[in-house]
Amino acid sequence: AMPAAAARGGGTGAPAPEAAAAVPAASEALAPQRQAAERLSRAAALLAPHPSLAAAVEGMRDKAERLRSSRFTIALFGAFSAGKSSLANALLGEAVLPVSPNPTTAAVNRIVPPTAERPHGTAAVWMKSRDAMLGDLRYSLGLLGEDAAKLGDAALLQAIHKLSPDGVHAGGRPHYSFLKAAAKGWAQHEALLGQQLAVSGEEYRRYVAEESRSCFVSEIELYHANPLTAQGIVLVDTPGADSVNARHTGVAFNYIKNADAILFVTYYNHAFSQADRQFLMQLGRVKDQFELDKMFFIVNAADLAANQEELEGVLAHVERNLQQHGIRFPRMFPVSSLQALDGKRTGVSRLIAESGIGAFEEAFLGFTRNDLGMLAVASAEQELERARRTIANWLEAASGDEASRERARAALSANAEQALRLAGELDQPKQHAQLQQELKELLFYVLQRVQFRFGDHYHFAFNPAALQDDGRDLKKAMWTSWLELQRLLQIELAQELEATSLRVDNTLNRLAAKQHADTAEQAAELLDGFAPTPYKPLALPTPEEQPAWTADSVDLKLLWSKFKSPKHFFEGEGKTALRAVLEKELAGPLQAWMQEAELAWSGRYDGLMQQASAAGAALLRADIEAFCHGKLASLSGTTDLNELRRVQGELLAL
């Protein structure tokens, strides 16, 4: 399940807008799922009178219900300045989400359909727990070079009040902003920590737009009637990669992993920040691990282009950047969110056409119907085909004379036991060497890649702007530069492990599916006409985050030993010498951390593989028993052949 989530959005508490009633073409986004559900429901009703098909009927009804009630989740990613909120508003056709002037503390936002209990325009606000809030304060203070680990609440707030913006590292600016906002709002919000609040649209806007409130928020859900939510589409605005919440990489990763579609928004002519680049690297790592390419890239504010040539130049530049981060053949769309919203609100079709939103919406609708929808249709067709084969097999068995039916009964009884034994063998505990080998190799390459990219992070952390000789405390500046480097490496390691977990998950399910298919094939050789249910991939939770990597052996003395002055450091040999020292010093802690991760994951994935094997065995056993029960009934001589032919005809017609 995906986290509840927060909003960057509005809602006035007014009645649902008229626009929600007139749903545009996007209303058809989930039509294939609904049609597939209808076919399965009709098939289940046809087969329900046959007790031997009870398991198949239950499976069809369950799948039909899931398809009928399915929601489609779109997750928006990108830096605050990219205009995610304005793009969301353009898609919704209404200024639903207010733009926060202070983005650094943004929480997760979900725009969901209203319910009887949660009317249009209201919101649920989840406040951070007290421990989580204090943990965030200590973390951010620590990044600014303050020793906050052992401070009590009062001392913590006192330390925040004393903070000055002078000399704060670029990577620490969101944290400085967050700390000051928290100190300002502490007295008012301390008592609300850990609570879930039901708020009006007006209160909701304040929790989004006022940083002294929003910094205490974990997630918000806005209940809003609009053309998207009317179809069961949930829009999620995630914290920017440049927000203080970006250190909790698991939140973003779960949306990358579980969302049906990902929209990465970048602003026309804005360079990608260090945080953006780390996030794009993560998208590049996981892009090929999904069954479908579900990523869309929006270049916002495209109306700023002076002419078509300039626009094409910018798009080419963005595409090159994406390719450098491992994102090949990206689906890119230039859009002017503000033009699109104006056009939709005023009904001026020229503005909508010029905004570029139509090309994106058309491609997006094509994806939901042709790509995602066809998966649902194919899955339903597979269920129906199994039922057709089973009925055809019964008809063939029932049509023989008594002697042939008796021989078939004897053979079936003998072979059923053997087939069930095969299914039982799937469930035997065993080591899965191939999975463990894959895990070991993947984690080895994680370490190689992190060490290879060390230079990029080092140059960002130890840069001339952070270490200027302008009266700032240079020892403290050296220390906060190191803390920034450590932060970047922590995020890199966490993201690498998350991406690796997706690869290992896919390997596990692939191995379990092959194991199941091989055993099912052996069973089918024994049982004439047996059509097993395909292996259902295990829905695997993302592994718990490993404790954040740290290098306790690095201290100020070591850093300062290579620093004489900014001029010597950047123009002389100081920076190169410190890099060499740090690379050598960090090799051991990185290796040790990765070994701990490998040990934890080895046991975890071994247990999950056993679960997958057991689930496959149970599925196969149930299929064999249901098949044999039905086949024996058809061989009994009491089968109503006309009824079976009628069912067969109706199944073929579905």
Side-chain angles (χ1 to χ4, degrees), residues 284-533:
R285 289 183 194 110
V286 302
K287 190 170 189 279
D288 297 335
Q289 295 305 306
F290 299 116
E291 192 170 4
L292 297 173
D293 176 7
K294 60 183 183 179
M295 297 180 189
F296 295 79
F297 296 87
I298 307 292
V299 179
N300 205 356
D303 54 317
L304 296 180
N307 51 46
Q308 188 62 25
E309 187 182 359
E310 183 186 305
L311 177 61
E312 285 170 8
V314 169
L315 292 175
H317 168 73
V318 172
E319 185 167 9
R320 281 193 301 274
N321 262 285
L322 294 176
Q323 286 169 345
Q324 285 167 12
H325 291 88
I327 299 165
R328 300 174 301 283
F329 313 114
R331 280 185 291 218
M332 277 176 32
F333 299 88
V335 169
S336 166
S337 296
L338 297 179
Q339 259 188 332
L341 181 58
D342 280 351
K344 287 186 177 183
R345 292 176 79 177
T346 58
V348 179
S349 54
R350 176 185 56 79
L351 286 175
I352 297 173
E354 289 174 1
S355 75
I357 194 93
F360 164 69
E361 288 179 332
E362 190 178 332
F364 187 75
L365 181 59
F367 166 73
T368 63
R369 296 206 54 168
N370 303 331
D371 296 9
L372 203 72
M374 289 310 108
L375 286 181
V377 171
S379 175
E381 184 54 41
Q382 200 174 34
E383 294 270 354
L384 293 171
E385 187 53 35
R386 279 187 68 243
R388 290 177 193 128
R389 283 180 60 185
T390 300
I391 297 291
N393 186 258
W394 287 4
L395 268 170
E396 186 185 350
S399 301
D401 58 28
E402 176 55 34
S404 65
R405 291 203 306 272
E406 179 54 42
R407 286 194 299 274
R409 279 198 297 270
L412 183 64
S413 297
N415 290 344
E417 199 173 324
Q418 200 177 336
L420 285 167
R421 266 202 306 275
L422 283 171
E425 285 169 17
L426 261 183
D427 206 0
Q428 298 303 310
K430 50 187 167 292
Q431 281 293 315
H432 297 276
Q434 199 176 336
L435 183 66
Q436 292 294 337
Q437 182 61 28
E438 173 91 348
L439 173 61
K440 198 176 189 67
E441 285 179 15
L442 286 171
L443 292 179
F444 171 78
Y445 288 118
V446 164
L447 196 54
Q448 297 282 299
R449 287 192 298 272
V450 170
Q451 289 171 329
F452 177 74
R453 283 196 294 271
F454 176 84
D456 291 343
H457 298 316
Y458 176 76
H459 292 310
F460 179 80
F462 290 87
N463 69 74
L467 293 163
Q468 288 177 26
D469 199 358
D470 56 1
R472 72 181 64 185
D473 182 340
L474 283 172
K475 282 191 173 180
K476 187 172 184 181
M478 279 296 283
W479 183 243
T480 56
S481 293
W482 153 246
L483 292 175
E484 177 62 11
L485 174 59
Q486 182 174 256
R487 182 186 76 86
L488 293 171
L489 289 171
Q490 286 171 342
I491 289 174
E492 182 95 357
L493 285 163
Q495 289 184 336
E496 277 278 9
L497 280 196
E498 287 159 357
T500 300
S501 76
L502 209 51
R503 286 192 169 84
V504 183
D505 289 355
N506 288 342
T507 299
L508 184 153
N509 274 316
R510 190 176 66 248
L511 291 172
K514 184 178 187 314
Q515 192 177 257
H516 180 268
D518 290 348
T519 309
E521 193 178 328
Q522 290 176 275
E525 286 170 10
L526 294 165
L527 305 170
D528 180 41
F530 176 56
T533 308

